[in-house]
Amino acid sequence: MTDEARKPASDEARGVFAIPLTVGAPGGGDGDSSTTSEFALPEGLAPPRATEESETTSEFALPAGLDVPQPPGGDIEGSAFSTPLTYRAPAFTPPTGIPVVSLTKDVPWQDRMRTMLRMPVAERPAPERPHKVAEEGGPAVPRVLDLTLRIGELLLAGGEGAEDVEAAMFAVCRSYALDRCEPTVTFTLLSISYQPSLVEDPVTASRTVRRRGTDYTRLAAVYRLVDDLSDVDTVTSLEEAYRRLAEIRRNRHPYPGWGLTVAAGLLAGAASVLVGGDLLVFVAAALGAMLGDRLAWLCAGRGLPEFYQFTVAAMPPAAIGVALTAAHVDVKASAVITGGLFALLPGRALVAGVQDGLTGFYITASARLLEVMYFFVGIVVGVLLILYFGVKLGAELNPDAALGSAQRPLWQISASMLLSLTFAVMLQQERSTVLIVTLNGGVAWSVYGAMHDTGDFSPVASTAVAAGLVGLFGQLLSRYRFASALPYTTAAIGPLLPGSATYFGLLSIAQNDMDAGLVSLSKAAALAMAIAIGVNLGSEISRLFLRVPSGSAGGRRAAKRTRGF
């Protein structure tokens, strides 16, 4: 045997776990002899060789016959978030199954979007039909988000509640097949985030609301646009939606500036009749309110903040009342000043603030109520300055004048309807809604008068019940017309605003009677809260009797919130 034959094989050629050369297939013994070992298997007991090329194995390999069946169609690329193929869901599903929420087009889009916003993202139903997709490859996400933010800006600037703004923004996104989105609304900031999938980065956009204006005609037009976008039977492209939105922004107010000034005067005159005034009081209150409105417009044109606008607007009615008293004119100065205050009290912002708080938007509610407090302080400062100088000049103002107010049901009901009518004009409502809100205001005052004057109920309870009916009727009318509830409720609560309690509280403070002043102002605050809570409660009660989506258990579960623990 030569040296080359005796030379051992290299390490690459064999390993420690290599099968010895003598262990081969049965019958493979002819050939050169090789070195054997006591660990070698006897001939005939060798494991069967695979017909294919040998592969590396490990102790984690499954035995033959126990392989997991692979899905047809070849290998499928997975991710860390995909469910393992061997996973079987535990039998935790109830026997009746999970209720499916079917959101049909017969339900108003406000209720559908509010229901889905209160549901977890994983339980929200997919969009019914992405028929408004701009391109075949998918929606133009940045443009859809921009359109959504612009619509939300108009709604929030118009005084709409935070929950309704979120519902509208969510409706716009879903109409363009962006179902995995989350809108967020605060007092001055709107933001929305869209996540295409669980493994992709989200797209987020935001917009700041810097200017606010009261125009319910524009608000109604925005609601009609959102309603058309949410309708699965109506095809509205992205360009068409932008065009309509631009027209809404450029629309002219339905009433001119001089018409708003006249409406403010008539509102103050009607409010003075509600608290016992006569024709002379009506004229004096109207003149004071119109003068205050023109001064407020002048301050707004000079860029002064709204705090000073309210302060200046509150001075002329108070000055006219003090002047009539100082001139010993037989007139109720308290009715003149109270009527002027009715045109300034921020009832719209108060109702929106309390509604946001009751629906869980506490940051926005705090900001709105703080805004109301600043407006109220501005009114207080303006009226107190005039009353203080009037008292110093010898004007005899009687804080107990309200106790002698006459009960004139027909005159007061007519005045309440006129007050609601003029309030609707000042809010720039559509002409088609003015008559309805006028009747709603008359009903509200009739209920209040029947409970307080005839039934001897407390003014707070009477105000809450009357405001609840206003909210109930307004919500039903808005659902009937698929529109916002604000045009049907805000002007109707005008006769219920606590103008007289506010005036007498300020008068007592001006006369150094702090105890009586604080008691009267506390009563005014209680009446204001009763109005806001009553309107919101009436709206919520109306939803209990409206048709809800099929699968009501899911809808009611979606409305649940934390209970404080």
Side-chain angles (χ1 to χ4, degrees):
M1 184 177 294
T2 62
D3 295 337
E4 295 179 358
R6 294 187 183 138
K7 185 177 180 180
S10 62
D11 293 338
E12 290 80 4
R14 61 175 181 147
V16 178
F17 300 99
I19 300 178
L21 297 176
T22 56
V23 182
D30 293 342
D32 296 336
S33 63
S34 60
T35 305
T36 60
S37 168
E38 62 272 17
F39 297 101
L41 292 176
E43 186 177 354
L45 294 180
R49 284 187 173 277
T51 57
E52 299 178 359
E53 184 179 357
S54 62
E55 298 178 355
T56 304
T57 60
S58 70
E59 61 272 20
F60 297 102
L62 291 176
L66 295 181
D67 294 338
V68 179
Q70 298 294 332
D75 296 336
I76 299 177
E77 183 181 357
S79 69
F81 298 96
S82 60
T83 305
L85 298 176
T86 57
Y87 174 77
R88 295 295 181 268
F92 292 149
T93 305
T96 56
I98 300 176
V100 178
V101 180
S102 175
L103 301 169
T104 62
K105 65 181 181 179
D106 297 331
V107 181
W109 65 265
Q110 298 99 311
D111 294 335
R112 285 184 288 151
M113 298 304 115
R114 185 181 292 107
T115 300
M116 282 187 286
L117 277 175
R118 293 175 176 177
M119 296 173 63
V121 178
E123 298 181 10
R124 292 175 183 172
E128 299 177 4
R129 185 173 53 138
H131 60 275
K132 302 179 181 68
V133 176
E135 302 176 358
E136 295 182 359
V141 175
R143 298 200 66 198
V144 172
L145 296 184
D146 179 71
L147 175 67
T148 303
L149 290 173
R150 292 178 182 272
I151 290 177
E153 178 190 10
L154 288 180
L155 293 177
L156 187 62
E160 192 63 81
E163 188 177 29
D164 293 327
V165 176
E166 282 196 359
M169 295 172 63
F170 191 71
V172 175
C173 286
R174 284 186 62 87
S175 65
Y176 290 100
L178 304 185
D179 56 329
R180 196 181 294 273
C181 61
E182 289 292 340
T184 304
V185 176
T186 59
F187 185 59
T188 57
L189 181 64
L190 299 168
S191 64
I192 188 168
S193 178
Y194 169 68
Q195 190 170 10
S197 66
L198 292 176
V199 295
E200 296 184 59
D201 295 333
V203 181
T204 304
S206 62
R207 192 174 183 87
T208 302
V209 179
R210 302 189 182 278
R211 296 190 61 185
R212 300 178 182 274
T214 304
D215 188 346
Y216 282 179
T217 300
R218 177 181 296 175
L219 190 70
V222 175
Y223 262 78
R224 284 193 294 268
L225 174 60
V226 178
D227 186 28
D228 292 340
L229 293 177
S230 304
D231 190 2
V232 296
D233 296 331
T234 303
V235 179
T236 305
S237 64
L238 198 61
E239 299 299 331
E240 175 67 15
Y242 265 107
R243 185 189 63 80
R244 291 180 57 180
L245 187 62
E247 292 179 354
I248 293 173
R249 285 181 174 274
R250 292 193 303 264
N251 73 327
R252 296 176 58 87
H253 299 305
Y255 309 102
W258 63 267
L260 300 180
T261 302
V262 173
L266 294 177
L267 189 153
S272 65
V273 174
L274 285 179
V275 293
D278 52 12
L279 180 60
L280 181 59
V281 172
F282 181 95
V283 174
L287 291 177
M290 288 190 290
L291 181 58
D293 182 76
R294 286 293 91 190
L295 290 177
W297 277 95
L298 181 63
C299 294
R302 296 297 184 269
L304 289 179
E306 286 184 300
F307 176 86
Y308 301 104
Q309 297 177 28
F310 274 80
T311 301
V312 172
M315 289 182 176
I320 292 179
V322 171
L324 291 175
T325 303
H328 302 288
V329 179
D330 188 14
V331 66
K332 281 189 176 181
S334 60
V336 176
I337 301 175
T338 300
L341 292 179
F342 263 86
L344 299 175
L345 293 178
R348 173 182 57 86
L350 175 66
V351 172
V354 175
Q355 180 180 358
D356 288 340
L358 295 176
T359 53
F361 294 85
Y362 301 113
I363 297 178
T364 307
S366 301
R368 288 186 188 273
L369 293 178
L370 185 62
E371 180 188 38
V372 171
M373 187 189 73
Y374 271 102
F375 291 163
F376 189 77
V377 170
I379 297 172
V380 167
V381 171
V383 175
L384 273 182
L385 286 175
I386 301 299
L387 293 181
Y388 179 78
F389 286 108
V391 171
K392 290 297 183 180
L393 293 176
E396 297 179 358
L397 299 173
N398 185 13
D400 298 328
L403 299 177
S405 60
Q407 303 299 329
R408 301 171 296 176
L410 295 180
W411 280 100
Q412 289 177 335
I413 292 176
S414 301
S416 65
M417 296 178 66
L418 177 61
L419 193 152
S420 300
L421 171 65
T422 53
F423 202 174
V425 172
M426 293 181 65
L427 293 174
Q428 300 282 2
Q429 291 190 196
E430 292 181 307
R431 293 181 174 88
S432 60
T433 64
V434 171
L435 178 60
I436 297 176
V437 76
T438 301
L439 297 176
N440 201 6
V443 171
W445 181 260
S446 300
V447 172
Y448 171 81
M451 293 186 64
H452 179 257
D453 298 333
T454 305
D456 291 332
F457 285 88
S458 68
V460 176
S462 304
T463 301
V465 173
L469 289 178
V470 168
L472 176 63
F473 293 157
Q475 197 66 234
L476 293 176
L477 289 172
S478 68
R479 290 302 183 267
Y480 175 73
R481 297 196 173 189
F482 283 59
S484 172
L486 290 181
Y488 303 100
T489 58
T490 304
I493 65 173
L496 304 176
L497 293 176
S500 58
T502 303
Y503 162 68
F504 289 112
L506 298 179
L507 179 58
S508 299
I509 294 175
Q511 294 178 346
N512 294 324
D513 191 357
M514 297 297 296
D515 294 337
L518 292 178
V519 169
S520 185
L521 290 180
S522 299
K523 178 183 176 181
L527 292 174
M529 292 296 294
I531 293 173
I533 295 176
V535 170
N536 181 264
L537 182 60
S539 301
E540 294 297 333
I541 290 176
S542 68
R543 295 191 181 101
L544 297 179
F545 300 99
L546 292 174
R547 182 173 55 178
V548 298
S550 59
S552 58
R556 296 309 303 168
R557 182 191 63 211
K560 291 181 180 179
R561 292 185 180 271
T562 177
R563 297 180 180 177
F565 52 82

